[in-house]
Amino acid sequence: MHKQKIKIEGEFIKLQDLLKFSGLCETGGHAKVVIQNGEVKVNGEVCTMRGKKLRTGDNVEFDENIVELITV
């Protein structure tokens, strides 16, 4: 399992945007598919809402990777 920390500016980032920004998905289309297929977990629970707002302290799991959000 690979873990990385991503710094965000502002109050939140949308799940689909985080998957692209972190490099876990190459395109927004790929992010949309993996989210809708139930392959992504947010804070340990499957999330199928690609527009889900993620904030500092949230953890996203996909394809044996964990992304933790931290503030700048």
Side-chain angles (χ1 to χ4, degrees):
M1 187 87 44
H2 179 259
K3 187 168 186 173
Q4 64 177 313
K5 294 184 180 197
I6 299 284
K7 293 181 182 179
I8 59 169
E9 294 182 20
E11 185 182 343
F12 66 87
I13 185 171
K14 291 182 181 177
L15 179 56
Q16 142 175 331
D17 295 335
L18 176 72
L19 291 176
K20 288 190 307 185
F21 181 72
S22 66
L24 296 180
C25 291
E26 291 185 18
T27 66
H30 181 231
K32 177 182 175 181
V33 169
V34 299
I35 293 167
Q36 289 179 337
N37 287 345
E39 298 176 42
V40 180
K41 289 184 179 180
V42 175
N43 299 324
E45 295 185 15
V46 172
C47 181
T48 57
M49 300 182 308
R50 63 181 201 244
K52 169 115 176 119
K53 294 178 182 178
L54 304 171
R55 294 176 168 79
T56 301
D58 285 337
N59 289 291
V60 175
E61 294 178 50
F62 170 66
D63 195 28
E64 296 191 21
N65 292 283
I66 298 175
V67 176
E68 180 183 349
L69 296 178
I70 58 176
T71 49
V72 175

